[in-house]
Amino acid sequence: MTGFWLAGNRRLAGIDRRGAMIAAALLALVLALSFTALLVPAPPPAARDASGRVEAQADVVLYETIVAGLRGGDDYYPVAARALRAGNYPLRPFITFRLPTLARLQAAVPDWLVWGVQLSLVAGVLAAWAARLWPSLTRMAPRIALIVLLFGGLMAFVQLDLAPFHEIWAGLLIALALAMYRPDRVLLTVSITLMAMLIRETSALFALIMFLTAISERRWREAAAWVGAVAVLGAVVAAHAHAVSMVVTPLDPVSPGWSGMLGPGHFFRTMGISTALTLAPVWLAAPVVALALFGWASWRSAMAARTLGTLAAYGLLLALFGRLDTFYWGLLVAPLVLPGLIFVPDALRDLTLALLDRQTPRVQKSAA
């Protein structure tokens, strides 16, 4: 049966009734979990008011302070330690210090160039994902819808005042790496991912998902490339830890830890506020995110499997370790969520048809 929007690769097309009932039960479970977002307190807003710039340092102001110190000739680690202390931030363990990559790059160029690169990267992600998904859609209406969904997922990333946020850049690079993935040019994806990891080390979770999928598909060279990229990150983080140890003291405050245990509702709520769904109430935004996950799961392709695996991994990270003030971790995967909605109409139609399919058994008359 031809698709409603999709040209093919519909996982639920032709599924039997038993399989459809299992799929429907899983969808109901994910939708139910999404409503636990109503039980999670709202995190603070991602951006600050113009009137609030001088208040007790928000993270963006902290990063701007560090960049300003580097432009003034200071070294990264002393200026970062002073800024953290001034803002009453924890300085221990060493991972409370961001890797110096982004701050040093931004300090080396004027702000207008940083903003230009940020917007160019947004445009590149949009173009790469559109080019990747466009051929799977059969009509102009879903193609237009795809562009709208891509814009919706990138809404936070065009806010130039968030340029100091490491997750903005890492999230864009992860999205670009995934869109550019091809088995025959894996080094491009690995290189882009390495850039993301050197900006925000939590991007290594994406590298882990890509490594595991390469192993499952017996792509040994690709798996080795991912191991090499993570090894580079490991060496950089080791050097970073040593440098941090030179500027902290036993009297510096310790982080409260990352065992928020806020549950899956935190992931759904975070995805809502990280995309255009922030304009909708939580009771609507959360199930829409669940439907987007269902959409990715319903499309049979290597790209969909990697995207869904990445979203699931970061969802688990947010559910188990995220705190209300670390909601910005969601920016690492925010561009990946909403495009999954483009697969939902076909998936729901195929699922409904399978559930309603009742084949009448044939009764053969025996001879008297």
Side-chain angles (χ1 to χ4, degrees), residues 360-366:
T360 302
R362 294 181 180 179
V363 179
Q364 295 182 352
K365 294 183 179 181
S366 58

Side-chain angles (χ1 to χ4, degrees), residues 120-129 132 154 169-182 185 188-190 192-193 195-196 206 303 332 335-336:
S120 297
L121 191 52
V122 169
V125 169
L126 180 66
W129 273 90
R132 194 68 188 270
L154 292 167
W169 298 89
L172 287 171
L173 290 169
I174 287 174
L176 183 63
L178 189 53
M180 299 298 291
Y181 173 78
R182 297 286 193 286
R185 61 179 189 191
L188 176 60
T189 291
V190 172
I192 296 172
T193 304
M195 287 190 284
F206 170 68
M303 185 179 190
L332 291 168
L336 309 181

Side-chain angles (χ1 to χ4, degrees), residues 61-71 74 76 79-81 83-84 103 107:
V61 179
L62 169 70
Y63 303 143
E64 288 176 340
T65 302
I66 294 172
V67 171
L70 292 177
R71 287 174 175 168
D74 289 337
Y76 174 78
V79 73
L84 288 167

Side-chain angles (χ1 to χ4, degrees), residues 27-353:
L27 173 59
L29 175 62
V30 176
L31 284 170
L33 289 175
S34 73
F35 282 105
T36 62
L38 296 169
L39 306 177
V40 179
R48 71 255 185 244
D49 294 333
S51 61
R53 277 181 78 89
V54 196
E55 294 180 359
Q57 286 181 317
D59 286 352
V60 173
V61 179
L62 169 70
Y63 303 143
E64 288 176 340
T65 302
I66 294 172
V67 171
L70 292 177
R71 287 174 175 168
D74 289 337
D75 185 48
Y76 174 78
Y77 290 98
V79 73
R82 289 197 300 271
L84 288 167
R85 291 189 184 104
N88 296 317
Y89 284 86
L91 281 80
R92 297 182 295 155
F94 72 92
I95 53 177
T96 57
F97 284 68
R98 293 289 183 266
L99 293 174
T101 311
L102 183 63
R104 285 174 173 168
L105 288 173
Q106 292 188 343
V109 298
D111 286 337
W112 63 264
L113 184 55
V114 173
W115 298 332
V117 174
Q118 179 181 345
L119 294 178
S120 297
L121 191 52
V122 169
V125 169
L126 180 66
W129 273 90
R132 194 68 188 270
L133 298 181
W134 194 281
S136 300
L137 304 173
T138 58
R139 292 186 287 173
M140 186 55 64
R143 291 173 176 174
I144 294 173
L146 171 63
I147 300 301
V148 172
L149 292 172
L150 288 170
F151 270 116
L154 292 167
M155 192 173 76
F157 297 83
V158 297
Q159 298 181 45
L160 299 181
D161 60 339
L162 295 182
F165 248 94
H166 301 73
E167 284 77 8
I168 288 289
W169 298 89
L172 287 171
L173 290 169
I174 287 174
L176 183 63
L178 189 53
M180 299 298 291
Y181 173 78
R182 297 286 193 286
D184 58 341
R185 61 179 189 191
V186 67
L187 288 181
L188 176 60
T189 291
V190 172
S191 299
I192 296 172
T193 304
L194 179 58
M195 287 190 284
M197 291 192 294
L198 294 179
I199 290 174
R200 190 67 170 105
E201 64 278 9
T202 45
S203 302
L205 188 55
F206 170 68
L208 174 62
I209 295 301
M210 297 297 282
F211 167 76
L212 292 176
T213 52
I215 289 293
S216 68
E217 296 172 359
R218 300 181 181 273
R219 299 183 185 277
W220 309 121
R221 291 185 179 180
E222 178 181 336
W226 288 112
V227 170
V230 174
V232 171
L233 174 66
V236 171
V237 169
H240 174 68
H242 174 73
V244 169
S245 70
M246 305 302 292
V247 296
V248 298
T249 71
L251 298 179
D252 285 320
V254 180
S255 169
W258 291 270
S259 55
M261 297 297 290
L262 293 173
H266 185 47
F267 166 71
F268 288 103
R269 185 150 199 160
T270 298
M271 290 299 97
I273 66 170
S274 300
T275 64
L277 292 175
T278 190
L279 302 174
V282 178
W283 60 264
L284 177 59
V288 169
V289 173
L291 285 174
L293 298 178
F294 171 66
W296 280 120
S298 70
W299 189 38
R300 185 185 286 109
S301 77
M303 185 179 190
R306 286 166 169 78
T307 303
L308 186 63
T310 300
L311 290 170
Y314 281 94
L316 190 62
L317 177 72
L318 282 162
L320 297 179
F321 304 109
R323 304 191 308 259
L324 290 179
D325 59 348
T326 58
F327 65 96
Y328 48 80
W329 291 359
L331 293 171
L332 291 168
V333 291
L336 309 181
V337 178
L338 295 186
L341 291 172
I342 206 69
F343 309 111
V344 171
D346 279 274
L348 288 179
R349 189 190 73 158
D350 292 337
L351 183 59
T352 301
L353 291 175

